[in-house]
Amino acid sequence: MLVLEPTRADRRLLEALEFVRANATRTSELIGDEYTVEEDVVDETTGEISTVTVRKHVDVSFAPEAWQKVITDKRRPGKVVRRHFEICVFSCLADELVRGDVAAVGSEAYANWQSQLLRREDCQPHLAEYCAEVGLPTTASEFVEQLKMRMKGVAAAVDAGYPDNADLLIDEQGGPSLKARKSAGHSAEALKLATAVKGRLPERSLLEILTRTTRHLRWFRRFGPLSGSQAKLADPLERYLLVAFAYGCNLGAAQAARHLGGRISAHELSYTVRKHVTLASLNKAIADVVNAYLRLDLPRLWGEGNAVAADGTKYDIYVDDLIAEFHIRYGGYGGVAYHHIADNYIALFSRFVPCGVWEAVYIIEGLLEQESEAAPKEIHADTRGQSFPVFGLAHLFGFELLPRIRNFRDLTFRRPEPGVRYRHIDALFGEPINWQLIEAHWQDLMKVAISIREGELSSITLLRRLRHDSKRNKIYRAFRELGRVIRTMVLLRYVSDATLRENITRATNMIESYNNFSKWIGFGNNGVIAENDPEEQEKAIKFNTLVADLVMYQTTLDMSLVLNRLRSEGETVQRADVAIMSPYQEDNVRRFGDYVYDLNAPLEDMDVNLELGEETDAA
């Protein structure tokens, strides 16, 4: 059924596959290593093409050495062990499909990704604009020189600051270790203020919060019939509001309809989701809420929106679902909701992926696909969110990947140049960077980046192929070398800058808090996503993100109102004390009870400015 093609000149594996096909009906333990194929031959004199039968010997050198020992028998030359050989071929075929050395024609996930790249002449008109946009030099030599100078500067600064770095210790074997820092905690005044604000927040039902924020922000205008025509609904606001409530809280159509007092049927809810809502429209609705949130005063005290944390959390789904896999860390079947959370707590983007995938491949795509006004330049993730290709691709897009690296002691620091030596930290460095490789393939690197930006290639497809075992792929080798440069600089900063480590820890803790908060919002159906269609599963995750963002928006407004009242009553409100608070509040939100709403209730306190005086600014 499958038409397979190599993405490089080596055809040994596919020829071995033809040998397996030719012997598919054989049952003997040992079979001869000869097989016949039909090939087209061109007559040099007449130019006519004729088909001839050619006998070939199967070449087993495609297989790793360990496999070659079991698929051949030295006592029987010219024979191969049939069953072992078949397993070897399909095992190697699976590996090469994953890393992109073999492609499946017509496939989406396993197509020849290099054929999707723009041609070099098509990239050239975009090169200057793209480099100016992300801050990169426009020639290979300047690109390498800039990186080399940055790397030398970072290493020299870390070496000079080593005597004053009380946290970093380099042992006799050259292994770095960091002393654990005890958190300073929060001041008594800050904790007192946070408690006072929490105690004064108005209690609101979840459906009331959605009703208020939906009427105010009108994000529902992004939804409508898939045909693009005007929605023929009696009240689009009400219909889309209830859809968001039903699916964002994971109640589903049937349970939500039961508890809404006959205001809407299960069929109306499920039909609206399938026929009026797409993943693209959900992304736009989330972006509307994020943009409104960013215009509020209070989130600016929590973060500038310049950094984002990315991580996933497992959701249970039915075991017989196509996307279901066993998650080794969580110990159960399901899928992973992968979120991108800004440093001011708001969720920018979410998607649903299988448990078995390498989460790092989704880290760049979320930043490229999110449509809000947020423009983060820093990406934080856990250890699974980093690799050489991810570091390299992030740099090409102008992002700074700053992950939490637990095993940094076992990682290799690359030396900027062979002759460079350092007084204090020289033991950290191993082999030097191959700058010639980066410069030689600079055009390939830029072609990949521009192709992704122009929509010709997905960063997910690229990073799936650029795996650690793609050593025969020239683009992989270039990305790996570029990633070594960037990761070495990040490691040097990580071991020398306590503030950076604190920021990374804060970001990873924040996304863990969001994961708990979003699951608290999606309380229905015992936390199981009941949909079997992958697209509907992702809609459920995005609806949950939309509802969580709306709750955060309303909570932020209520917190701002409470802070203004406290200050008008003579309480001291310092910016530093307000900065420790969070919109992930649960005590003031009622999830259960009567699901009632009023689309005509007066909207009060939906435009609140945080009034902090000049004396607070100075503080």
Side-chain angles (χ1 to χ4, degrees):
M1 299 286 296
L2 291 177
V3 178
L4 303 173
E5 63 178 7
T7 59
R8 49 191 176 83
D10 189 352
R11 293 190 53 88
R12 290 174 298 168
L13 176 58
L14 293 186
E15 289 174 355
L17 179 63
E18 290 300 323
F19 176 77
V20 170
R21 285 173 169 164
N23 292 276
T25 59
R26 301 286 294 276
T27 59
S28 56
E29 181 181 356
L30 298 174
I31 57 176
D33 62 359
E34 284 190 344
Y35 66 106
T36 60
V37 294
E38 294 185 347
E39 293 184 353
D40 292 335
V41 178
V42 179
D43 190 307
E44 295 181 357
T45 305
T46 64
E48 296 181 354
I49 300 176
S50 59
T51 301
V52 298
T53 300
V54 180
R55 295 190 64 83
K56 290 186 175 182
H57 289 271
V58 66
D59 186 354
V60 300
S61 62
F62 71 89
E65 184 178 350
W67 266 115
Q68 293 185 36
K69 293 179 180 179
V70 298
I71 62 179
T72 58
D73 189 343
K74 292 181 179 179
R75 297 170 299 178
R76 302 290 299 274
K79 301 284 187 179
V80 295
V81 182
R82 180 182 58 82
R83 290 176 177 170
H84 293 174
F85 186 79
E86 290 174 353
I87 297 172
C88 170
V89 168
F90 286 110
S91 175
C92 293
L93 182 62
D95 289 340
E96 297 213 1
L97 279 168
V98 167
R99 64 179 176 238
D101 292 332
V102 171
V105 177
S107 168
E108 179 179 352
Y110 298 99
N112 185 353
W113 66 270
Q114 296 192 46
S115 67
Q116 300 176 40
L117 298 176
L118 290 171
R119 294 179 302 174
R120 183 167 296 186
E121 54 268 27
D122 295 331
C123 287
Q124 201 61 37
H126 302 284
L127 182 61
E129 176 191 354
Y130 179 81
C131 289
E133 182 181 322
V134 298
L136 295 176
T138 56
T139 65
S141 58
E142 291 176 350
F143 180 83
V144 167
E145 188 62 25
Q146 183 190 70
L147 278 177
K148 189 183 297 185
M149 295 304 295
R150 278 185 56 194
M151 192 176 184
K152 287 182 176 179
V154 171
V158 174
D159 185 60
Y162 180 76
D164 299 323
N165 189 346
D167 296 335
L168 177 61
L169 177 65
I170 302 176
D171 59 29
E172 295 179 356
Q173 289 74 35
S177 60
L178 289 169
K179 295 180 181 178
R181 280 202 168 200
K182 189 174 182 179
S183 174
H186 303 303
S187 66
E189 292 78 9
L191 295 175
K192 179 181 177 182
L193 179 62
T195 302
V197 170
K198 186 176 181 179
R200 288 202 183 194
L201 286 176
E203 187 178 89
R204 303 183 189 276
S205 72
L206 193 52
L207 193 50
E208 177 194 354
I209 291 175
L210 298 187
T211 303
R212 288 170 59 86
T213 52
T214 301
R215 291 174 59 198
H216 180 63
L217 301 177
R218 302 189 69 81
W219 50 264
F220 64 89
R221 71 187 188 279
R222 301 297 186 178
F223 299 162
L226 301 185
S227 63
S229 59
Q230 190 72 21
K232 297 179 180 179
L233 301 174
D235 191 340
L237 184 154
E238 181 180 26
R239 176 69 63 86
Y240 297 140
L241 161 69
L242 296 179
V243 164
F245 174 70
Y247 288 89
C249 298
N250 202 31
L251 290 167
Q255 287 296 322
R258 285 181 61 192
H259 293 283
L260 285 169
R263 301 287 291 268
I264 193 169
S265 69
H267 172 73
E268 288 173 320
L269 287 171
S270 61
Y271 179 87
T272 303
V273 167
R274 287 183 286 109
K275 300 299 184 181
H276 285 236
V277 181
T278 64
L279 296 177
S281 63
L282 269 169
N283 287 338
K284 292 183 183 297
I286 292 171
D288 287 342
V289 180
V290 171
N291 291 339
Y293 180 87
L294 295 177
R295 288 191 285 270
L296 299 178
D297 296 330
L298 185 53
R300 296 170 191 164
L301 300 182
W302 295 330
E304 297 294 332
N306 296 327
V308 65
D311 193 18
T313 184
K314 175 182 162 292
Y315 275 81
D316 292 334
I317 56 179
Y318 296 136
V319 175
D320 57 353
D321 189 277
L322 285 174
I323 201 175
E325 292 187 25
F326 187 84
H327 199 293
I328 189 65
R329 286 190 297 163
Y330 292 100
Y333 283 89
V336 172
Y338 199 69
H339 304 296
H340 286 68
I341 310 301
D343 58 4
N344 50 21
Y345 296 100
I346 197 72
L348 302 181
F349 188 80
S350 298
R351 70 180 306 148
F352 198 55
V353 300
C355 286
V357 302
W358 177 35
E359 292 180 5
V361 304
Y362 296 98
I363 196 169
I364 303 295
E365 193 76 2
L367 295 179
L368 299 179
E369 288 190 10
Q370 72 91 16
E371 301 184 39
S372 74
E373 296 170 0
K377 293 300 182 183
E378 291 183 6
I379 319 170
H380 299 289
D382 61 9
T383 303
R384 287 172 54 84
Q386 54 94 22
S387 72
F388 290 135
V390 178
F391 272 109
L393 189 61
H395 177 73
L396 292 180
F397 278 110
F399 301 131
E400 189 172 20
L401 178 59
L402 299 171
R404 178 180 61 189
I405 305 177
R406 289 181 175 176
N407 58 338
F408 69 92
R409 180 182 174 87
D410 302 324
L411 300 180
T412 301
F413 291 66
R414 292 287 172 165
R415 194 177 296 276
E417 285 184 325
V420 176
R421 293 292 182 269
Y422 299 97
R423 179 178 179 183
H424 303 292
I425 64 171
D426 194 70
L428 294 177
F429 295 95
E431 295 295 319
I433 293 294
N434 185 348
W435 297 107
Q436 292 78 13
L437 177 63
I438 298 175
E439 185 169 355
H441 293 293
W442 174 80
Q443 292 229 5
D444 292 322
L445 296 174
M446 298 309 300
K447 182 168 71 171
V448 167
I450 294 174
S451 297
I452 293 174
R453 192 191 73 161
E454 295 300 313
E456 299 294 328
L457 175 69
S458 164
S459 67
I460 295 175
T461 300
L462 172 72
L463 292 174
R464 278 176 177 165
R465 297 296 174 267
L466 298 184
R467 291 167 56 94
H468 65 279
D469 51 2
S470 301
K471 298 180 178 61
R472 289 174 287 186
N473 186 321
K474 66 177 183 178
I475 297 183
Y476 166 78
R477 294 199 302 270
F479 268 104
R480 180 184 60 185
E481 204 65 19
L482 176 60
R484 284 171 174 168
V485 176
I486 306 302
R487 192 177 76 172
T488 296
M489 290 193 287
V490 170
L491 288 173
L492 288 170
R493 292 178 56 199
Y494 184 83
V495 299
S496 63
D497 190 343
T499 302
L500 175 63
R501 296 196 296 274
E502 291 173 0
N503 290 339
I504 293 174
T505 300
R506 176 181 179 271
T508 51
N509 289 342
M510 181 185 297
I511 196 165
E512 290 294 339
S513 298
Y514 174 80
N515 288 337
N516 294 331
F517 181 71
S518 63
K519 285 190 172 182
W520 184 82
I521 294 292
F523 59 88
N525 203 24
N526 294 320
V528 179
I529 297 179
E531 300 290 343
N532 281 330
D533 184 344
E535 182 172 341
E536 298 303 315
Q537 290 170 342
E538 185 150 346
K539 282 183 185 178
I541 295 301
K542 290 184 183 295
F543 266 123
N544 178 253
T545 298
L546 174 64
V547 172
D549 283 355
L550 290 169
V551 173
M552 278 187 268
Y553 182 84
Q554 180 64 64
T555 300
T556 302
L557 290 176
D558 290 339
M559 291 175 69
S560 301
L561 188 64
V562 171
L563 286 167
N564 288 342
R565 288 174 180 169
L566 287 172
R567 186 171 179 275
S568 67
E569 294 170 6
E571 295 288 341
T572 301
V573 179
Q574 302 287 355
R575 290 180 181 269
D577 296 341
V578 176
I580 74 162
M581 299 180 188
S582 160
Y584 301 153
Q585 302 292 331
E586 299 176 2
D587 292 346
N588 63 307
V589 180
R590 297 194 311 271
R591 296 181 297 169
F592 306 108
D594 295 331
Y595 294 142
V596 296
Y597 57 96
D598 184 0
L599 297 178
N600 298 312
L603 286 179
E604 299 175 348
D605 301 323
M606 298 302 289
D607 294 295
V608 182
N609 295 320
L610 186 61
E611 299 171 0
L612 298 181
E614 295 182 359
E615 72 281 2
T616 313
D617 294 340

